[in-house]
Amino acid sequence: MDLAFTQDEEDFRHGLRAWLADVLPTLPDRPDPADWPARRAYDCGWQRMLYDAGYAGLHWPKDAGGRGATPTQHLIFLEETERAGAPYVGANFVGLLHAGPTIAAEGTPAQRARWLPPILRGDQVWCQGFSEPDAGSDLASLRTRAERDGDSYVVSGSKIWTSHAEVADWCELLVRTTPMGPGTPKHRGITWLALPMDAPGVTVRPLRTLAGTAEFAEVFLDEVRVPVDHRIGAENDGWRVTMVTLSFERGTAFVGEVIACRRVLEALARTAKANGRWDDPVLRRRLGRIAAACAALWRLTQWNVSEAQRTGGVPGVGGSVFKLRFSEVRQELYEAAAEVLGPDALDAGHEWVADRLSSLSYTIAAGTSQIQRNIVAERILGLPKGR
Ligand SMILES: Cc1cc2nc3c(=O)[nH]c(=O)nc-3n(C[C@H](O)[C@H](O)[C@H](O)COP(=O)(O)OP(=O)(O)OC[C@H]3O[C@@H](n4cnc5c(N)ncnc54)[C@H](O)[C@@H]3O)c2cc1C
């Protein structure tokens, strides 16, 4: 990537900046984090504004309904929206950042035409039904069964930790279409389905986190009929499709948040200067180290985004390096925030306190740090597999 901006890119930046300056003041107040229907309405409303202005699916290929923007334009978009304090994807996280890109990469033309436009318009929200009570890190051990019956699969089983399932229309669902057995390794026999969340037999039970909100849910599936044409990729080839989904989830899905961390860091420095904690050289050094880590993560992001574009749009294994480091830096950031806040760090209503609690989940969600380290060791460093 050429790090100097072309005139086109500068024009793109200025156009976007002007649009943001116009529309952001017209947005309604941000909803209560505990009110998922209101959060969905807010996030989808913002997505619709992006769509109407031609900024939805900016870097998606044109034949998937996107704008086919260059990696540099994509990065400019992330920088400018974050700089202006625009909303992040929110409830559209799964649809925009990994289910949609997976369908764009692996779906048939009919599937792309069916599912991608409503995601881009903010009309339909997706969730992710991968993890099960006994299949998290070891995802390939999943047991939710899908039996073929004519033109449908009949699906039974349960999923857990399904983020915002109660407000989702669709679920990227992993099922087992061939039982595990001596002749069938567990990675085979898995299939990726688009599950309509309003299908008979789907029950969603929200789970409350230590922050007091229900961020995710258990999803129970009792003989749910899913049409065969809702399958993305071939039957029993779902593990390969899953790797595509996870590469988007780890590779590019968190990039906007790196810039958000830099903004929080600046705010921490301002607060520390105002409340006298800035005089502490240990704290200053700590904030400096986090700033350096954020700068390195942003460079890694630029590299990952360019690399994904160069290799046909699907991010590579470098996403695991990013995810590993980013999730840890985010925790360091909010630990530092607690120090800057002092006694106010006990105020559960403070935004940084809520973010500190949620930062704990970042080293677990989308694959734990231990799993990312295994991937880096085996697939990047070429070290032998652990036993
Ligand atoms: C905020 C949040 C949102 C989430 N949203 C979703 C969602 O929308 N959809 C979804 O499907 N899932 C979701 N998850 C689930 C997430 O993917 C799993 O929690 C994660 O993969 C870990 O699985 P587990 O919880 O079963 O832990 P386990 O797999 O049981 O792991 C327990 C511990 O053992 C370690 N461990 C396990 N295997 C190994 C190994 N081979 N080597 C070294 N250490 C190992 C792990 O690192 C961990 O520390 C979410 C999780 C969180 C925290």
Side-chain angles (χ1 to χ4, degrees):
M1 190 204 310
D2 182 357
L3 290 177
F5 295 115
T6 64
Q7 190 55 47
D8 270 2
E9 286 158 358
E10 289 296 353
D11 291 347
F12 173 78
R13 185 190 293 278
H14 288 122
L16 173 60
R17 205 174 269 190
W19 179 75
L20 288 167
D22 277 350
V23 300
L24 290 182
T26 70
L27 285 181
D29 288 343
R30 293 198 190 218
D32 176 349
D35 184 348
W36 269 101
R39 280 171 75 173
R40 177 193 158 121
Y42 181 88
D43 296 336
C44 291
W46 170 241
Q47 184 58 27
R48 182 66 197 214
M49 289 166 95
L50 289 170
Y51 179 84
D52 289 341
Y55 290 117
L58 194 66
H59 61 294
W60 286 22
K62 285 191 174 151
D63 62 2
R67 187 159 151 173
T70 62
T72 309
Q73 285 175 326
H74 180 200
L75 292 166
I76 290 172
F77 176 83
L78 293 170
E79 278 176 0
E80 290 299 323
T81 45
E82 191 51 50
R83 192 191 61 84
Y88 193 47
V89 284
N92 292 305
F93 185 88
V94 173
L96 283 167
L97 302 182
H98 48 95
T102 303
I103 294 169
E106 297 289 333
T108 63
Q111 291 173 331
R112 292 160 75 146
R114 172 174 190 171
W115 282 303
L116 300 183
I119 291 175
L120 289 176
R121 285 196 302 267
D123 287 346
Q124 289 179 353
V125 165
W126 283 65
C127 63
Q128 182 187 49
F130 281 17
S131 305
E132 297 182 5
D134 292 318
S137 301
D138 186 12
L139 182 58
S141 291
L142 64 93
R143 289 180 187 278
T144 293
R145 277 289 287 140
E147 309 263 2
R148 184 82 178 254
D149 180 27
D151 288 340
S152 298
Y153 290 104
V154 180
V155 181
S156 292
S158 68
K159 297 288 171 178
I160 194 165
W161 316 126
T162 315
S163 300
H164 60 261
E166 63 272 37
V167 292
D169 305 293
W170 291 91
C171 175
E172 50 177 18
L173 183 74
L174 295 185
V175 294
R176 184 162 293 288
T177 30
T178 300
M180 283 184 268
T184 314
K186 58 187 178 182
H187 295 83
R188 303 242 178 87
I190 291 173
T191 299
W192 200 113
L193 297 178
L195 166 79
M197 292 296 284
D198 61 356
V202 178
T203 306
V204 175
R205 189 194 296 161
L207 294 165
R208 201 156 293 282
T209 70
L210 85 169
T213 57
E215 291 297 319
F216 35 43
E218 289 174 285
V219 177
F220 299 96
L221 304 155
D222 183 13
E223 300 196 346
V224 180
R225 294 191 82 86
V226 181
V228 170
D229 66 8
H230 286 31
R231 187 185 70 219
I232 307 297
E235 186 170 292
N236 295 328
D237 192 28
W239 190 249
R240 189 189 58 75
V241 183
T242 303
M243 291 304 113
V244 173
T245 309
L246 293 180
S247 72
F248 283 113
E249 188 177 10
R250 293 165 184 168
T252 46
F254 293 107
V255 295
E257 294 195 45
V258 177
I259 311 173
C261 284
R262 294 174 87 169
R263 216 170 35 143
V264 171
L265 196 59
E266 285 163 19
L268 284 186
R270 278 197 303 277
T271 306
K273 282 174 191 163
N275 70 12
R277 286 174 200 274
W278 191 251
D279 295 338
D280 176 359
V282 176
L283 175 71
R284 289 204 305 273
R285 198 172 313 128
R286 194 167 166 189
L287 294 179
R289 285 217 181 93
I290 298 170
C294 287
L297 280 167
W298 183 239
R299 292 293 170 230
L300 185 59
T301 297
Q302 291 175 320
W303 189 82
N304 278 344
V305 169
S306 323
E307 195 60 10
Q309 196 90 357
R310 200 179 59 78
T311 54
V314 179
V317 73
S320 284
V321 180
F322 172 82
K323 201 271 165 181
L324 174 61
R325 189 67 190 119
F326 167 67
S327 52
E328 293 180 349
V329 169
R330 200 169 188 280
Q331 289 177 355
E332 290 163 24
L333 174 72
Y334 285 104
E335 282 302 309
E339 202 175 320
V340 169
L341 284 173
D344 289 346
L346 296 173
D347 171 6
H350 196 291
E351 188 187 350
W352 291 343
V353 176
D355 286 342
R356 182 182 179 206
L357 291 178
S358 86
S359 78
L360 300 176
S361 71
Y362 276 60
T363 46
I364 302 172
T368 66
S369 290
Q370 288 81 1
I371 294 303
Q372 306 307 332
R373 284 197 170 86
N374 286 350
I375 293 171
V376 171
E378 290 164 18
R379 291 173 56 198
I380 299 182
L381 302 176
L383 297 175
K385 238 179 176 350
R387 284 172 205 219

